[in-house]
Amino acid sequence: MANHVALLLLLLLSLQLTASFSQQPGDDPDLPTLLKIKEQFGEQAALASWQPGTDHCNWAYAYCNQYRRVVAIFLQNVNITSTIPPAIGDLDQLHTISIDNIPGLHGPIPDTFGKLSRLSIFNIMRTSVSGSLPASLSRTNLTSVSFFGNMLTGRIPMSLQDLPHLTYFDASNNRLVGRIPPRLVSNGTRDSPLGLTLTNNRLTGPIPRTYARERYFMNFRVANNMLTGDAAFLFGRRKTVSDVDLSGNRLNFNLTGVVMPKNLLFLNMSRNRIYGGVPASLAQLKWLVTLDLSYNRLCGEIPTGGNMGRFKAEAYEHNKCLCGTPLPTC
Ligand SMILES: *[C@@H]1O[C@H](CO)[C@@H](O)[C@H](O)[C@H]1NC(C)=O
Ligand SMILES: *[C@@H]1O[C@H](CO)[C@@H](O)[C@H](O)[C@H]1NC(C)=O
Ligand SMILES: *[C@@H]1O[C@H](CO)[C@@H](O)[C@H](O)[C@H]1NC(C)=O
Ligand SMILES: *[C@@H]1O[C@H](CO)[C@@H](O)[C@H](O)[C@H]1NC(C)=O
Ligand SMILES: *[C@@H]1O[C@H](CO)[C@@H](O)[C@H](O)[C@H]1NC(C)=O
């Protein structure tokens, strides 16, 4: 998340620089669209700088490239009470939309956003935006998405699997239902590992086995849903994932033989129906700092060595018959 914000700020900075060097006059095709957006927002003190007759490339929140086309909208921490203007879908050069911490913003994400064929980074976070994610977004060019902390409902559209470059998807803290699409994020590489965060929703069904094929995951967080079945396939010696949160689901699999990826830092499997024993491979991890296996059906001796000494009894409480440090001896 922090990386993400830094990246956006960098982008913002470079856009401002290019904007200030641009002098070319032109017919400014985005100007009427911005005025329409202002009209759709209605009376908002926050948009006071959006005045006809002034240079729209100097207006707050909208950023132009050297051709005076609007390529980014950053709308953060402002007091706006409105629905999202559908006219934003007419800013056809938009690459980034980042909306954050605007509790007064409500209503659905307009279908018209599907017209934004260059849209790559799309964040709507901490708003009151509701309704379902438009399937039309599959026609954009999304690479990184965060819908953290809204009131979104419905299923995650299967059509989003058609997005060839989507590597980071966060829709945590909403009210999404249905299954996780099997290839929502895909084709991760070492330089661009995948991130999937769906924590705190109402998702059901198994975790799709297709994710077993993806070697380059950075994080996989699906805590507090109603997911069932196996998740052992997410692990393995050759995987790169460092952050796995499966807690608060109904996952049901044998943990004994699971081989943990060597870069694992954070592992929470608490509150599932996981059985078998604590895998020996956990004790070989150099970087593991968080471990929570509590409230499962695990049994047998806890392995020692590596970082295992860091973890207190709470990490293992409420299991079937675990024993050994930090619990009583077997
Ligand atoms: C937000 O704007 C509305 C009017 O648009 C105003 O009534 C309200 O006081 C503003 N709130 C803050 C915290 O500035
Ligand atoms: C879509 O995104 C990819 C990867 O970021 C980029 O290489 C490509 O040029 C983009 N296409 C369009 C139409 O923006
Ligand atoms: C992933 O890469 C494969 C092979 O390069 C490609 O066929 C496939 O379309 C890509 N996945 C997506 C979702 O585009
Ligand atoms: C693990 O997840 C559970 C449920 O989401 C949470 O209550 C607990 O605090 C987490 N444990 C750690 C160590 O973060
Ligand atoms: C779990 O798997 C191990 C082998 O990895 C096996 O020995 C054990 O019997 C299994 N436990 C259960 C409860 O099925």
Side-chain angles (χ1 to χ4, degrees):
M1 190 84 165
N3 270 342
H4 211 56
V5 170
L7 196 77
L8 287 177
L9 288 176
L10 212 66
L11 188 73
L12 177 65
L13 212 66
S14 63
L15 289 171
Q16 268 176 333
L17 287 177
T18 47
S20 59
F21 288 123
S22 67
Q23 298 294 331
Q24 288 148 315
D27 53 359
D28 283 339
D30 291 336
L31 180 56
T33 309
L34 288 174
L35 291 170
K36 194 166 168 197
I37 292 168
K38 179 178 156 111
E39 186 190 313
Q40 291 180 353
F41 266 130
E43 205 47 58
Q44 309 285 344
L47 296 178
S49 68
W50 291 35
Q51 291 303 328
T54 64
D55 182 358
H56 71 281
C57 287
N58 291 330
W59 292 359
Y61 320 117
Y63 297 85
C64 294
N65 63 9
Q66 68 266 42
Y67 309 111
R68 304 180 50 75
R69 301 300 309 274
V70 176
V71 291
I73 290 180
F74 289 85
L75 201 55
Q76 293 162 351
N77 309 314
V78 293
N79 179 14
I80 286 183
T81 301
S82 171
T83 53
I84 303 176
I88 292 175
D90 294 328
L91 293 172
D92 59 20
Q93 300 296 302
L94 268 184
H95 173 280
T96 300
I97 298 176
S98 194
I99 295 174
D100 186 11
N101 193 21
I102 307 184
L105 196 66
H106 59 275
I109 299 173
D111 253 341
T112 55
F113 279 32
K115 293 192 285 183
L116 298 169
S117 60
R118 293 173 187 246
L119 186 63
S120 172
I121 298 171
F122 184 23
N123 302 330
I124 296 187
M125 306 184 288
R126 299 184 288 173
T127 72
S128 305
V129 166
S130 59
S132 39
L133 289 171
S136 64
L137 290 177
S138 65
R139 301 201 298 270
T140 65
N141 194 26
L142 293 178
T143 58
S144 170
V145 163
S146 180
F147 298 128
F148 168 86
N150 301 292
M151 291 156 64
L152 297 169
T153 53
R155 294 165 178 271
I156 301 170
M158 286 291 164
S159 65
L160 298 189
Q161 298 189 121
D162 301 336
L163 290 161
H165 306 291
L166 186 59
T167 52
Y168 183 91
F169 188 93
D170 179 350
S172 48
N173 297 36
N174 283 285
R175 298 166 190 174
L176 299 172
V177 300
R179 294 176 173 239
I180 302 174
R183 281 174 298 277
L184 186 53
V185 292
S186 61
N187 289 354
T189 62
R190 186 186 297 277
D191 295 330
S192 160
L194 305 176
L196 185 61
T197 302
L198 299 168
T199 301
N200 296 329
N201 280 286
R202 297 165 188 175
L203 300 168
T204 52
I207 296 171
R209 288 215 164 243
T210 41
Y211 292 118
R213 293 207 294 266
E214 296 289 347
R215 183 172 158 201
Y216 296 106
F217 258 109
M218 167 179 61
N219 58 59
F220 193 98
R221 307 186 195 112
V222 294
N224 301 320
N225 282 285
M226 291 173 276
L227 302 169
T228 51
D230 194 2
F233 54 81
L234 294 173
F235 303 94
R237 197 184 308 280
R238 292 172 180 283
K239 302 282 173 75
T240 64
V241 71
S242 63
D243 180 342
V244 180
D245 193 348
L246 306 174
S247 64
N249 282 288
R250 297 168 190 173
L251 299 167
N252 185 329
F253 61 94
N254 186 343
L255 193 60
T256 307
V258 171
V259 178
M260 294 293 161
K262 67 177 192 314
N263 295 326
L264 200 64
L265 285 169
F266 179 99
L267 179 64
N268 192 344
M269 295 186 155
S270 172
R271 296 177 192 274
N272 279 286
R273 297 164 187 177
I274 299 167
Y275 58 92
V278 179
S281 63
L282 264 182
Q284 277 145 31
L285 303 178
K286 280 205 190 89
W287 315 112
L288 190 67
V289 292
T290 304
L291 176 68
D292 193 343
L293 302 176
S294 62
Y295 292 86
N296 278 294
R297 297 172 183 173
L298 297 166
C299 200
E301 184 161 14
I302 297 167
T304 53
N307 283 355
M308 296 304 278
R310 287 172 176 247
F311 308 119
K312 308 278 184 284
E314 297 84 76
Y316 307 104
E317 70 187 349
H318 283 267
N319 272 287
K320 200 167 131 204
C321 45
L322 285 177
C323 58
T325 321
L327 302 179
T329 46
C330 298

